[in-house]
Amino acid sequence: MLSSAQTPRLLRSPAALTFKCLHTSPILTPASTSPSPSQILTNRKALLSRQTSAVDLAKSFLQRLRRHEPQISSFLYVSPDDIVLKQAEELDNRIKNNEEVGPLAGVLVGVKDNICTRDMPSTAGSRILENYRPPFDATAVRKLREMGAIIIGKTNLDEFGMGSTTEGSAYQVTANPWDLSRVPGGSSGGSAAAVSARQCTVALGSDTGGSVRQPASFCGVVGLKPTYGRVSRYGLVAYASSLDVIGCFGSSVADAGLLLNSISGFDNFDATSSKQEVPDYASQFVPLDYLESKPLKGLRVGVIHETLGNGVDSEVVSSVRSAISHLEELGCTVSEVSLPSFSLGLPAYYILASSESSSNLSRYDGVRYGNQVFGEELKSLYGDSRAEGLGSEVKMRILMGTYALSAGYYDAYYKRAQQVRTIIRNSFKDALDKNDILISPAAPSVAYKIGEKKNDPLAMYSGDIMTVNVNLAGLPALVLPCGYDGGSAGMPVGIQMIGAAFDEEKLLKIGHIFEQTLEGYSFIPPLVADE
Amino acid sequence: MSCRAVMLLRANPQLFSFRNSAFPKALQPNKRFYAAKYSLEPPDVTGLAEKTRISLTPKQVEEFAPKIRQVVDWFGLLQAVDLQSIEPALRADTEGDNLRDDVPRVFDNRDAIIAAVPNYEDSYIKVPKVLNKE
């Protein structure tokens, strides 16, 4: 069994079902509040019972956003106050008239800037799309608006989703709200930081190789990567089309799940979107009082052996092992699973992603949209527009991807990477036939310092080892905070739970119960905690 | 600066020593076969920049070349794996294709598309003269 060396603690009565974690942050006091099950539902209740108004709620978020934005820089664009407040006022009027309101009514949402919004710029973090205003909303954005959400702004990212720190943005570097000298992770670092700093309730990100899950771990928030095809990619600026998904950030599992509920479903505009029925994810968030003493009894959890060895920070291993003990206390049967092909996923991912991106980014030629550097001939218009508009990391990946796809090299690189994808897909399927979920850390370390990996591509790429295989297999995964690194910075550690295709329900159920029974944490960064 | 994550890739002999008999046979190396089949030239960054239509200065070529070489060498790890009889996967294949009928639909916001064009004149998208090479 994989219990930690410590004796598992006996549970108290079901009504007070909690698990005292073995590591406490030196920053938060042990008496801090239990995690809120859902900020979305708490605010909704307050709105519908007229305890607060949508206008007051929006004002408080806008004030907090502007207060912390000079330090964090999570937003590339903030919606003007009058537009946000007008939407809030319209909602207040509907509530006053007892009209029906959508499930996300009044919820302030951040949207990663590679997801198209009709009335706001969408730059994908790149100068080549500076000031670009798409002529349409992404399907996910359209659905959010239909559900009553208010989009508070567009969040920062590594350019075109290529990066793991958000330092690759052409505009600004986002800081981690837990420690402003550290990265928030990437590429959806802006969204993760915004939710962590409570600048918005929830946020959309995108995940091609871990870009929702790794920043969620680094920023101490919940990140949910759905099954490939669960959420329409229409309006998501394409990076690697066989791997890209839109994902959800929240300060709780329930909030991430409620967001997923709103954006999932088949879309005619995305041929890879799934026709599988969308279950009601909200039904998984059972209040603690209704749970038995071992609410996860019978659930089989497989810990991926290759993810807890050398090269993973000891504090990350320790937090994850503690989380495993917690799952055992909740009734799970935990065993070890070996996936020998695990390490092949990383080079295979970077071959596939670079290759597909070289094709997807060929449309940025300065002709039909974006910034243009006019030339004497067409070739120099293309060459100079792309040279000026695209950043270094993006250029490198396009060059590498073109190489991997070239005649004479295609079989050696791209085709072999696709074969590795088959192996990895099959190995995950076999493991998930024998287990309900698989477990690993979300990243081999906590958030590192800004600038630490900027000039070393392989060092940055290697941090994705925990996440890329899930994209190759197209599976859903949930990351939630499970502890701290125990150092003086007290940086959060995230655990990754991987499910079978379209089994987000199970992930959300397990994640919610895990989170709600984890005593002693509120995972609010000090920057915000004192407010 | 050393990276602990890179250590993860290098540390466990099982991960990289494909000769380990515990390693599945399908993933054992077959170096002789692949060395004969593929003689891979290192990337020519100047040539690639030409193909991808990105104007690079000589200084940028000098800066990118070693980094690209390092990453491509790392890609080469996959050469040592025997992948015969493994079908390549185009995508995760969580579901089959859901193609819609090929029926044209009118987009409702043509004006916004045209407004985004950097150089537009008299209903034409303006580009420099396209020179044909003899």
PDB file of all heavy atoms in Angstrom, chain A residues 34-45:
ATOM      1  N   SER A  34     -12.518  26.212   6.149  1.00  0.00           N
ATOM      2  CA  SER A  34     -12.621  25.072   5.231  1.00  0.00           C
ATOM      3  C   SER A  34     -12.877  25.629   3.844  1.00  0.00           C
ATOM      4  O   SER A  34     -13.435  26.722   3.709  1.00  0.00           O
ATOM      5  CB  SER A  34     -13.786  24.185   5.643  1.00  0.00           C
ATOM      6  OG  SER A  34     -13.587  23.733   6.946  1.00  0.00           O
ATOM      7  N   PRO A  35     -12.521  24.850   2.814  1.00  0.00           N
ATOM      8  CA  PRO A  35     -12.748  25.356   1.464  1.00  0.00           C
ATOM      9  C   PRO A  35     -14.236  25.555   1.194  1.00  0.00           C
ATOM     10  O   PRO A  35     -15.057  24.747   1.604  1.00  0.00           O
ATOM     11  CB  PRO A  35     -12.155  24.256   0.574  1.00  0.00           C
ATOM     12  CG  PRO A  35     -12.021  23.054   1.417  1.00  0.00           C
ATOM     13  CD  PRO A  35     -11.898  23.503   2.811  1.00  0.00           C
ATOM     14  N   SER A  36     -14.555  26.658   0.505  1.00  0.00           N
ATOM     15  CA  SER A  36     -15.948  26.892   0.140  1.00  0.00           C
ATOM     16  C   SER A  36     -16.320  25.936  -0.969  1.00  0.00           C
ATOM     17  O   SER A  36     -15.583  25.811  -1.943  1.00  0.00           O
ATOM     18  CB  SER A  36     -16.087  28.338  -0.336  1.00  0.00           C
ATOM     19  OG  SER A  36     -17.255  28.492  -1.092  1.00  0.00           O
ATOM     20  N   PRO A  37     -17.455  25.252  -0.864  1.00  0.00           N
ATOM     21  CA  PRO A  37     -17.815  24.285  -1.901  1.00  0.00           C
ATOM     22  C   PRO A  37     -17.953  24.957  -3.267  1.00  0.00           C
ATOM     23  O   PRO A  37     -17.579  24.378  -4.262  1.00  0.00           O
ATOM     24  CB  PRO A  37     -19.148  23.710  -1.441  1.00  0.00           C
ATOM     25  CG  PRO A  37     -19.392  24.214  -0.087  1.00  0.00           C
ATOM     26  CD  PRO A  37     -18.451  25.301   0.218  1.00  0.00           C
ATOM     27  N   SER A  38     -18.553  26.136  -3.326  1.00  0.00           N
ATOM     28  CA  SER A  38     -18.729  26.764  -4.617  1.00  0.00           C
ATOM     29  C   SER A  38     -18.998  28.249  -4.456  1.00  0.00           C
ATOM     30  O   SER A  38     -20.019  28.657  -3.908  1.00  0.00           O
ATOM     31  CB  SER A  38     -19.905  26.116  -5.364  1.00  0.00           C
ATOM     32  OG  SER A  38     -20.257  26.913  -6.482  1.00  0.00           O
ATOM     33  N   GLN A  39     -18.081  29.033  -4.972  1.00  0.00           N
ATOM     34  CA  GLN A  39     -18.288  30.488  -4.946  1.00  0.00           C
ATOM     35  C   GLN A  39     -19.432  30.865  -5.868  1.00  0.00           C
ATOM     36  O   GLN A  39     -20.202  31.786  -5.587  1.00  0.00           O
ATOM     37  CB  GLN A  39     -16.985  31.184  -5.395  1.00  0.00           C
ATOM     38  CG  GLN A  39     -16.853  32.618  -4.917  1.00  0.00           C
ATOM     39  CD  GLN A  39     -16.996  32.761  -3.431  1.00  0.00           C
ATOM     40  OE1 GLN A  39     -16.298  32.112  -2.661  1.00  0.00           O
ATOM     41  NE2 GLN A  39     -17.941  33.578  -3.007  1.00  0.00           N
ATOM     42  N   ILE A  40     -19.571  30.129  -6.972  1.00  0.00           N
ATOM     43  CA  ILE A  40     -20.649  30.403  -7.923  1.00  0.00           C
ATOM     44  C   ILE A  40     -21.998  30.239  -7.228  1.00  0.00           C
ATOM     45  O   ILE A  40     -22.880  31.110  -7.309  1.00  0.00           O
ATOM     46  CB  ILE A  40     -20.579  29.463  -9.152  1.00  0.00           C
ATOM     47  CG1 ILE A  40     -19.361  29.791 -10.009  1.00  0.00           C
ATOM     48  CG2 ILE A  40     -21.853  29.553  -9.987  1.00  0.00           C
ATOM     49  CD1 ILE A  40     -19.153  28.867 -11.200  1.00  0.00           C
ATOM     50  N   LEU A  41     -22.177  29.134  -6.519  1.00  0.00           N
ATOM     51  CA  LEU A  41     -23.475  28.872  -5.881  1.00  0.00           C
ATOM     52  C   LEU A  41     -23.704  29.807  -4.701  1.00  0.00           C
ATOM     53  O   LEU A  41     -24.832  30.249  -4.464  1.00  0.00           O
ATOM     54  CB  LEU A  41     -23.558  27.404  -5.446  1.00  0.00           C
ATOM     55  CG  LEU A  41     -23.573  26.396  -6.592  1.00  0.00           C
ATOM     56  CD1 LEU A  41     -23.606  24.967  -6.076  1.00  0.00           C
ATOM     57  CD2 LEU A  41     -24.747  26.635  -7.533  1.00  0.00           C
ATOM     58  N   THR A  42     -22.634  30.122  -3.951  1.00  0.00           N
ATOM     59  CA  THR A  42     -22.766  31.046  -2.815  1.00  0.00           C
ATOM     60  C   THR A  42     -23.240  32.414  -3.314  1.00  0.00           C
ATOM     61  O   THR A  42     -24.170  33.009  -2.761  1.00  0.00           O
ATOM     62  CB  THR A  42     -21.413  31.197  -2.088  1.00  0.00           C
ATOM     63  OG1 THR A  42     -20.956  29.911  -1.662  1.00  0.00           O
ATOM     64  CG2 THR A  42     -21.529  32.111  -0.884  1.00  0.00           C
ATOM     65  N   ASN A  43     -22.601  32.898  -4.380  1.00  0.00           N
ATOM     66  CA  ASN A  43     -22.978  34.211  -4.926  1.00  0.00           C
ATOM     67  C   ASN A  43     -24.379  34.175  -5.522  1.00  0.00           C
ATOM     68  O   ASN A  43     -25.152  35.132  -5.384  1.00  0.00           O
ATOM     69  CB  ASN A  43     -21.966  34.661  -5.983  1.00  0.00           C
ATOM     70  CG  ASN A  43     -20.643  35.070  -5.362  1.00  0.00           C
ATOM     71  OD1 ASN A  43     -20.543  35.249  -4.148  1.00  0.00           O
ATOM     72  ND2 ASN A  43     -19.611  35.199  -6.179  1.00  0.00           N
ATOM     73  N   ARG A  44     -24.699  33.066  -6.181  1.00  0.00           N
ATOM     74  CA  ARG A  44     -26.021  32.948  -6.794  1.00  0.00           C
ATOM     75  C   ARG A  44     -27.117  33.038  -5.739  1.00  0.00           C
ATOM     76  O   ARG A  44     -28.127  33.725  -5.905  1.00  0.00           O
ATOM     77  CB  ARG A  44     -26.115  31.637  -7.558  1.00  0.00           C
ATOM     78  CG  ARG A  44     -27.432  31.446  -8.290  1.00  0.00           C
ATOM     79  CD  ARG A  44     -27.466  30.106  -9.018  1.00  0.00           C
ATOM     80  NE  ARG A  44     -28.735  29.913  -9.686  1.00  0.00           N
ATOM     81  CZ  ARG A  44     -29.043  30.462 -10.851  1.00  0.00           C
ATOM     82  NH1 ARG A  44     -28.180  31.227 -11.468  1.00  0.00           N
ATOM     83  NH2 ARG A  44     -30.229  30.251 -11.406  1.00  0.00           N
ATOM     84  N   LYS A  45     -26.889  32.324  -4.644  1.00  0.00           N
ATOM     85  CA  LYS A  45     -27.872  32.321  -3.546  1.00  0.00           C
ATOM     86  C   LYS A  45     -28.047  33.749  -3.016  1.00  0.00           C
ATOM     87  O   LYS A  45     -29.176  34.199  -2.775  1.00  0.00           O
ATOM     88  CB  LYS A  45     -27.350  31.404  -2.439  1.00  0.00           C
ATOM     89  CG  LYS A  45     -28.370  31.030  -1.395  1.00  0.00           C
ATOM     90  CD  LYS A  45     -27.793  29.985  -0.444  1.00  0.00           C
ATOM     91  CE  LYS A  45     -28.670  29.888   0.794  1.00  0.00           C
ATOM     92  NZ  LYS A  45     -28.074  29.054   1.845  1.00  0.00           N
TER      93      LYS A  45
END
